Amino acid sequence: MENAKRDKMMNQPVPKLINGLAVPTIISMLITSLYNMADTYWVAQLNNDSATAAVGIVFAIMALIQALGFFCGHGSGNYISRMLGANQIAAAKSMATSGLVLSMLLGLILLIFGMIFLEPLAYALGSTTTMMPYSKAYMSWILIGSPIMMGSLVMNNQLRFQGNAFYSMIGITAGGVLNIMLDPLFIFGLNFGIAGAAMATIFSQTVSFALLMWGIFKSDSLSYSIKLINLDKEHLINIFKGGFPSLCRQGISSISTAALNLCAGPFGDAAIAAVSVVNRIMQFCFSVVIGFAQGFQPVCGYNYGAKRYDRVKEAFFYTNRIGLLFTLVASVLVFIYAEPIMSMFQSDASSTVLTIGSITLRFQSLTLFLTVFITVANMMLQVVGKTKAASLLASMRQGIALIPVVVILSMKFGLFGLEIAQSVADVISFAVAVPLVIGFFKEMNRETQPKNNE
């Protein structure tokens, strides 16, 4: 069965292959973004800017959980896809179990230390005194669910990297739909308030975990076994190499979210709430880009491991073309309908949240198309083992570029600087991505040249 999958990865037409892998992943990403938006939407119905802003504060913790989950999931998944491409099944099986176990251990550590330092952590992430009760109520439940959430992320990614994105979609989608249904019940029906949104998320994530585990054993994926756990130096190094760019990308997102909240703080809880809502909306659009890029990753990993560099290049450019088409359409729609989109989360037409959010949305829509090349380049460099280049690029858009940009621009231009910061960071990140891709393609050309001369 593994030989059949390997043959499919290296011989099926690239567009058909990527589309088949990307569509379930895109659905999974959209559902994940949708239920993240659902938390923000239903909490906003409490008509309390501080509560809405608190969801944005805890988004930094969610980003950290995702960072550690993707670190283990991409680190093990990248290695698995290369080993399957090279037909080394035993090594791939050992890595699958080891990656899952490591993620849940890291989740447990985050839970313990997060609960011990709950209030200082909330302040460090940008919470104000008026927001603190809401921040603590929401964050505590998210921390409790962190081991399960990280485990789900690992299984989700390992399924994708083995070409079984359909089962990944089932697990993520079921949990997402359940979360959307439970939010109003827990927040209003059971009168749990903002804590109810977090409780609904954790319950739904637990269901996703169970379904993803079922998908692992139901499909032809590599199954887990306690006997296969191996967290020795070699396994940890391989997870680090494959997952560090994801840790940078998501981890720096956690830091940048805190930086945005801290910079927005002087403009009031409404500004923090606006930034939170805009982040969720743009993440929904960006999730399609990530979905296509993740559909590209196993194709890239298998063919790079088999030295089919022609297919690596074809897959890279095809993914960019499709992503560019989508983002151009999405950008136009977001720019035109910025106010109606924001009003879904803020009914008061004169609200400061609505005003700030609409302007910020329009600026970010102008550079959304640049994120396609940045994201696909990052994931290509990551899956082929170019850890330094991938980590640099992963850190740019929401870290190395964004953090100094938002600090400098908000100090110099006030609220306007905060509103344009992400767009400026996107331009800088694109400028860094282009030479990294050109350099990698030149390297592949040099590796194929001797064979062409024979």
Side-chain angles (χ1 to χ4, degrees):
M1 197 168 286
E2 287 297 336
N3 288 333
K5 186 185 298 181
R6 186 169 181 268
D7 180 69
K8 173 184 174 182
M9 286 290 187
M10 292 189 295
N11 293 295
Q12 188 174 95
V14 166
K16 180 179 180 181
L17 186 56
I18 290 180
N19 290 343
L21 292 170
V23 170
T25 306
I26 290 171
I27 293 172
S28 299
M29 293 299 301
L30 284 173
I31 293 294
T32 300
S33 295
L34 191 60
Y35 73 71
N36 283 336
M37 289 175 66
D39 278 6
T40 304
Y41 172 81
W42 287 111
V43 170
Q45 305 314 304
L46 294 170
N47 293 319
N48 186 322
D49 286 349
S50 295
T52 305
V55 175
I57 293 297
V58 182
F59 187 69
I61 291 295
M62 296 285 282
L64 178 58
I65 291 171
Q66 290 178 346
L68 294 171
F70 280 128
F71 169 70
C72 297
H74 285 173
S76 59
N78 285 323
Y79 181 85
I80 287 168
S81 69
R82 293 199 304 272
M83 290 302 99
L84 292 176
N87 209 27
Q88 297 183 30
I89 310 302
K93 285 183 176 180
S94 178
M95 179 59 81
T97 300
S98 302
L100 177 62
V101 171
L102 178 62
S103 71
M104 299 192 74
L105 289 175
L106 291 174
L108 183 60
I109 292 171
L110 178 62
L111 165 60
I112 293 170
F113 283 93
M115 294 300 284
I116 292 173
F117 301 104
L118 188 62
E119 188 165 315
L121 180 59
Y123 276 123
L125 296 177
S127 180
T128 63
T129 303
T130 53
M131 290 161 51
M132 182 55 67
Y134 306 104
S135 299
K136 289 169 65 176
Y138 191 76
M139 190 187 301
S140 58
W141 280 101
I142 295 299
L143 287 169
I144 289 171
S146 56
I148 292 295
M149 294 169 72
M150 288 189 200
S152 295
L153 287 167
V154 170
M155 288 189 286
N156 175 30
N157 282 287
Q158 288 183 356
L159 279 164
R160 287 192 308 98
F161 276 103
Q162 294 174 69
N164 290 321
F166 174 78
Y167 289 96
S168 169
M169 178 190 71
I170 294 297
I172 297 299
T173 301
V177 171
L178 183 60
N179 196 159
I180 294 168
M181 294 170 59
L182 291 180
D183 264 341
L185 173 63
F186 280 39
I187 295 171
F188 301 106
L190 299 177
N191 202 31
F192 289 145
I194 189 173
M199 292 165 67
T201 296
I202 299 312
F203 184 85
S204 303
Q205 287 282 340
T206 303
V207 172
S208 285
F209 183 93
L211 289 173
L212 287 166
M213 184 65 75
W214 168 82
I216 291 285
F217 288 96
K218 178 72 174 178
S219 67
D220 59 351
S221 299
L222 303 172
S223 58
Y224 301 122
S225 171
I226 296 176
K227 297 178 181 179
L228 296 174
I229 298 174
N230 188 351
L231 296 178
D232 63 5
K233 182 178 179 181
E234 181 181 354
H235 278 74
L236 293 176
I237 288 175
N238 278 302
I239 290 175
F240 181 85
K241 285 182 177 179
F244 188 67
S246 294
L247 181 64
C248 290
R249 181 172 56 250
Q250 296 295 137
I252 208 74
S253 174
S254 178
I255 297 172
S256 65
T257 299
L260 280 167
N261 291 332
L262 289 167
C263 289
F267 307 106
D269 288 0
I272 299 176
V275 169
S276 171
V277 172
V278 169
N279 282 342
R280 297 299 175 99
I281 294 170
M282 293 309 297
Q283 188 62 38
F284 183 75
C285 297
F286 189 50
S287 64
V288 177
V289 176
I290 296 175
F292 252 105
Q294 289 183 343
F296 156 78
Q297 272 188 306
V299 180
C300 180
Y302 266 86
N303 285 280
Y304 186 79
K307 301 188 183 300
R308 290 291 307 275
Y309 301 138
D310 57 322
R311 286 173 63 82
V312 172
K313 293 178 184 177
E314 183 184 357
F316 175 82
F317 288 113
Y318 175 76
T319 306
N320 269 280
R321 288 197 301 272
I322 297 300
L324 181 61
L325 178 62
F326 164 77
T327 51
L328 289 175
V329 173
S331 295
V332 172
L333 293 175
V334 170
F335 190 89
I336 294 174
Y337 298 107
E339 283 92 352
I341 292 171
M342 281 298 301
S343 67
M344 293 171 60
F345 302 88
Q346 186 61 245
S347 57
D348 184 358
S350 62
S351 165
T352 305
V353 175
L354 181 61
T355 303
I356 297 173
S358 299
I359 295 171
T360 307
L361 262 182
R362 286 200 168 96
F363 276 114
Q364 291 197 21
S365 71
L366 295 176
T367 56
L368 178 63
F369 74 99
L370 296 178
T371 64
V372 178
F373 188 88
I374 298 167
T375 305
V376 179
N378 175 216
M379 292 191 175
M380 177 180 68
L381 294 170
Q382 180 177 357
V383 79
V384 301
K386 302 294 180 183
T387 307
K388 291 182 181 179
S391 299
L392 171 64
L393 191 53
S395 305
M396 287 298 302
R397 183 174 179 268
Q398 292 190 306
I400 296 174
L402 179 60
I403 293 174
V405 163
V406 71
V407 172
I408 293 170
L409 293 183
S410 63
M411 290 176 61
K412 188 170 182 61
F413 300 109
L415 185 58
F416 177 72
L418 184 74
E419 292 166 340
I420 66 172
Q422 184 63 70
S423 299
V424 174
D426 287 345
V427 174
I428 296 171
S429 301
F430 179 78
V432 171
V434 171
L436 290 176
V437 170
I438 292 173
F440 174 63
F441 280 175
K442 286 182 177 179
E443 180 181 322
M444 282 198 297
N445 289 338
R446 286 195 295 270
E447 291 187 23
T448 55
Q449 193 64 44
K451 295 180 181 180
N452 293 334
N453 290 336
E454 290 178 1

